[in-house]
Amino acid sequence: MLTKTVIKRDFENIDALLLSPVCTMLEYRNIGLASRLIRHSLAKVTVNGYKAVFFIGNPAFYSKFGLKSISNFNIKDTGDIPKQYTMGLELVEGFLGTKGGTISIC
């Protein structure tokens, strides 16, 4: 599911998306379906002009798509999710940079 979210900075709000959860039925696991869904979703959001996507999930799985901890972008989540499970992806290189900000995941 893709949900609109906002990165709040001192003097601006930046539109972004949250992609979560990504799940498949047990009988469809381990055949690459979730990976295909993620790649398809990332292609769609890029075409629609979004420049950053955030994910909640297992870093061991999502890091293969280029996701990094939001701390790499100096972004903080206002929710209760442990920071290692909140990741971001720049769809336009340098878009998030290190200017920081906050997002509300939950």
Side-chain angles (χ1 to χ4, degrees):
M1 178 170 66
L2 288 160
T3 307
K4 188 174 176 181
T5 189
V6 174
I7 305 165
K8 294 183 178 191
R9 292 188 174 152
D10 290 337
F11 300 104
E12 65 181 333
N13 290 336
I14 301 167
D15 289 338
L17 289 172
L18 171 65
L19 177 57
S20 185
V22 176
C23 54
T24 56
M25 294 173 60
L26 288 173
E27 59 266 28
Y28 294 105
R29 291 192 181 164
N30 300 314
I31 60 170
L33 184 58
S35 294
R36 289 196 312 258
L37 287 169
I38 291 167
R39 286 186 184 100
H40 178 77
S41 296
L42 292 175
K44 289 288 185 189
V45 299
T46 302
V47 167
N48 286 306
Y50 286 94
K51 298 177 181 163
V53 177
F54 295 91
F55 290 69
I56 299 169
N58 184 342
F61 177 73
Y62 288 107
S63 63
K64 68 182 177 181
F65 300 100
L67 280 104
K68 300 176 185 174
S69 169
I70 60 172
S71 63
N72 288 316
F73 307 111
N74 199 26
I75 294 174
K76 295 182 179 19
D77 175 16
T78 60
D80 295 332
I81 297 170
K83 64 181 178 179
Q84 68 266 30
Y85 297 110
T86 307
M87 297 160 280
L89 176 66
E90 292 178 312
L91 299 171
V92 173
E93 189 174 339
F95 177 72
L96 294 174
T98 57
K99 292 180 183 177
T102 60
I103 56 173
S104 293
I105 298 289
C106 309

